[in-house]
């Protein structure tokens, strides 16, 4: 078996990526591209498992690419492309639909959450979405997959599918069993209004999140309004256990400054949260505002973004076609 490391990850095309996407995924993608070969895919086929307005979908794909570039992904180092442009994803997904088991999919908690109370009305695509995710990864024989904790179960399913394929078709080690790369220190970035919920673009209030395109003024306003605590900042982490919003602000500060939470607490304990908020706004503006400006600039030249996708597509498709040849042969497809 080749020992070459290959990173693959997928990001859903949503306009308006936020601080949670940045600290939880994009920043890590950027550092990985200097260590290994990396493929980053904008997963438009995953997006359409719930209805998307066609023109919005297109714009969201381009905006996601712009966000990749603005945060430091380099198309000369990493392969950047959109999923639907490489048809191998759907071809392999079909084959893997026949390897994956209904019982396995029935255990996926994200489907249960997303489908809600009326599962009969969810699209079939939403149900088999994890098989498509396995196809994304295995199409390139990726060895490492950076994902957030919410995707861990899907990645475990990809590992089961890879293993079953290797067994069923008697080809031990054909698909590498992909390893999750869940960033070690990144605590999840939570909503600024409810510290028990993840920061999310689907939360109604825009005050719940810092968007990568927010202006300095918006960042200041949002941090000022963020829930914290009326008591001064404690010395000890234990005292924050029941104060998720306060902990979240400290976590974000620690993440962006790359200081441990303990170091941060040493710096600010005994002070009011307004003190922390002022510092936090400053460092967030320093980090986020230039990214937002770059995203807006890149979006003014959509042809350039499409060109980047086209080049990425060619590179991705070459690897995919080569692997698919062998996959078809293993399965016995003429
Ligand atoms: N399902 C992932 C999400 O919603 C996105 C995704 C699709 C992905 N294919 C992938 C992530 C392959 C990692 C690897 O976040």
């Amino acid at each position: 078996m080749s020992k070459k490391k290959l990173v693959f990850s997928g990001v859903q095309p949503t306009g308006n990526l936020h601080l949670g996407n940045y600290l939880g995924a994009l920043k890590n993608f950027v550092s990985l591209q200097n260590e290994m070969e990396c493929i980053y895919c904008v997963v438009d086929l995953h997006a359409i498992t719930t209805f998307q307005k066609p023109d919005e979908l297109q714009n969201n794909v381009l905006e996601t690419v712009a966000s990749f570039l603005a945060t430091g992904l380099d198309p000369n180092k990493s392969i950047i492309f959109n999923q639907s442009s490489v048809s191998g994803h759907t071809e392999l997904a079909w084959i893997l639909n026949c390897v994956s088991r209904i019982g396995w999919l029935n255990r996926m908690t994200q489907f249960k959450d997303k489908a809600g109370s009326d599962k009969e009305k969810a699209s079939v695509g939403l149900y088999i979405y994890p098989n498509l995710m396995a196809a994304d990864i295995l199409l390139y024989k990726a060895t490492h997959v950076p994902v957030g904790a919410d995707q861990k179960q899907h990645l475990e399913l990809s590992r089961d599918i890879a293993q079953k394929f290797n067994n069923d078709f008697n080809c031990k080690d054909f698909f590498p069993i992909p390893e999750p790369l869940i960033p070690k220190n990144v605590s999840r970035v939570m909503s600024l209004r409810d510290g028990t919920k993840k920061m999310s673009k689907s939360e109604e209030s825009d005050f719940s999140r810092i968007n990568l395109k927010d202006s300095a003024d918006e960042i200041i306003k949002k941090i000022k309004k963020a829930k914290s605590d009326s008591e001064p900042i404690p010395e000890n982490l234990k005292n924050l256990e029941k104060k998720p919003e306060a902990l979240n602000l400290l976590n974000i500060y620690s993440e962006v400054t790359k200081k441990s939470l303990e170091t941060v607490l040493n710096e600010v304990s005994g002070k009011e949260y307004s003190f922390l908020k002022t510092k936090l706004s400053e460092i967030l503006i320093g980090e986020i505002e230039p990214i937002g400006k770059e995203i807006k600039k890149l979006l003014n030249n959509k042809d350039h973004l499409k060109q980047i996708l086209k080049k990425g597509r060619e590179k991705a498709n070459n690897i995919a076609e080569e692997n698919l040849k062998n996959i078809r042969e293993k399965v016995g497809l003429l």
Side-chain angles (χ1 to χ4, degrees):
M1 184 175 60
S2 105
K3 290 253 163 61
K4 211 178 88 183
K5 290 182 178 172
L6 178 64
V7 168
F8 182 97
S9 196
V11 174
Q12 296 234 22
T14 55
N16 224 356
L17 293 181
H18 54 67
L19 186 67
N21 305 119
Y22 175 60
L23 294 178
L26 296 179
K27 243 185 140 169
N28 190 33
F29 289 0
V30 175
S31 57
L32 283 168
Q33 78 178 348
N34 298 319
E35 294 163 29
M36 311 181 203
E37 200 177 332
C38 295
I39 305 179
Y40 296 120
C41 179
V42 183
V43 291
D44 46 7
L45 295 173
H46 276 93
I48 60 169
T49 55
T50 55
F51 183 76
Q52 306 290 318
K53 292 194 183 119
D55 48 342
E56 279 178 20
L57 178 60
Q58 279 207 9
N59 278 328
N60 287 344
V61 168
L62 295 178
E63 188 163 332
T64 306
V65 177
S67 307
F68 279 5
L69 301 177
T71 49
L73 282 186
D74 176 351
N76 294 316
K77 288 186 187 161
S78 301
I79 299 180
I80 296 171
F81 74 109
N82 63 310
Q83 189 182 27
S84 63
S85 72
V86 173
S87 59
H89 289 258
T90 44
E91 182 175 344
L92 182 56
W94 180 258
I95 294 173
L96 299 185
N97 280 341
C98 303
V99 175
S100 182
R101 305 288 92 181
I102 291 175
W104 297 354
L105 286 180
N106 284 345
R107 286 199 283 275
M108 295 297 119
T109 56
Q110 194 179 72
F111 175 75
K112 292 178 194 160
D113 293 343
K114 281 200 184 172
S117 54
D118 198 352
K119 292 190 183 33
E120 299 277 312
K121 282 208 173 133
S123 75
V124 176
L126 188 66
Y127 181 63
I128 57 173
Y129 164 128
N131 293 345
L132 177 61
M133 178 163 160
D136 298 339
I137 299 166
L138 301 181
L139 184 59
Y140 301 94
K141 299 194 171 184
T143 57
H144 292 81
V145 182
V147 280
D150 62 323
Q151 294 297 314
K152 214 172 148 221
Q153 194 186 33
H154 290 162
L155 195 67
E156 271 154 21
L157 180 87
S158 302
R159 292 166 61 89
D160 289 342
I161 291 175
Q163 221 136 30
K164 180 158 165 49
F165 185 102
N166 290 350
N167 277 333
D168 287 357
F169 298 104
N170 221 343
C171 49
K172 192 168 173 286
D173 297 338
F174 179 74
F175 284 129
I177 310 303
E179 295 287 338
L181 287 179
I182 298 178
K184 264 182 255 117
N185 299 320
V186 179
S187 41
R188 298 202 307 172
V189 178
M190 310 309 271
S191 156
L192 299 178
R193 316 219 86 189
D194 176 351
T196 63
K197 280 203 280 192
K198 244 175 89 168
M199 186 175 283
S200 154
K201 68 134 204 171
S202 51
E203 189 170 337
E204 204 173 313
S205 168
D206 201 48
F207 277 94
S208 68
R209 62 190 158 258
I210 304 286
N211 304 306
L212 295 183
K213 287 192 300 185
D214 280 347
S215 66
D217 279 352
E218 283 168 314
I219 294 175
I220 292 171
K221 244 193 263 160
K222 287 178 177 179
I223 296 295
K224 214 178 220 163
K225 274 203 140 193
K227 271 201 189 159
S228 54
D229 192 31
S230 51
E231 284 172 32
I233 304 171
E235 265 169 48
N236 191 313
L237 263 182
K238 256 203 144 328
N239 298 338
L240 287 165
E241 265 168 13
K242 295 210 173 81
K243 299 174 174 169
E245 289 85 11
L247 179 62
N248 187 36
L249 293 177
L250 287 157
N251 261 333
I252 296 174
Y253 186 76
S254 131
E255 223 24 81
V256 182
T257 54
K258 299 198 179 76
K259 292 178 188 169
S260 73
L261 210 44
E262 288 74 19
T263 312
V264 171
L265 274 180
N266 274 339
E267 246 178 65
V268 296
S269 70
K271 303 237 167 46
E272 300 297 322
Y273 279 92
S274 56
F275 177 81
L276 173 70
K277 285 181 167 186
T278 309
K279 281 168 87 87
L280 182 57
S281 297
E282 273 167 24
I283 52 144
L284 282 177
I285 291 168
E287 182 118 357
I288 299 297
E289 197 186 35
I291 294 175
K293 284 192 175 149
E294 184 63 17
I295 294 176
K296 288 175 197 159
K297 195 173 111 199
L298 286 162
L299 283 172
N300 281 331
N301 189 349
K302 297 212 164 133
D303 284 342
H304 171 65
L305 295 172
K306 287 181 185 162
Q307 204 52 38
I308 286 175
L309 283 176
K310 192 164 164 237
K311 280 206 190 126
R313 182 238 168 234
E314 272 160 30
K315 292 190 219 163
N317 197 52
N318 285 341
I319 307 174
E321 280 306 317
E322 183 62 33
N323 287 338
L324 263 179
K325 245 195 329 212
N326 297 325
I327 294 166
R328 289 186 197 114
E329 195 184 305
K330 293 287 176 225
V331 179
L333 300 169
L334 270 180

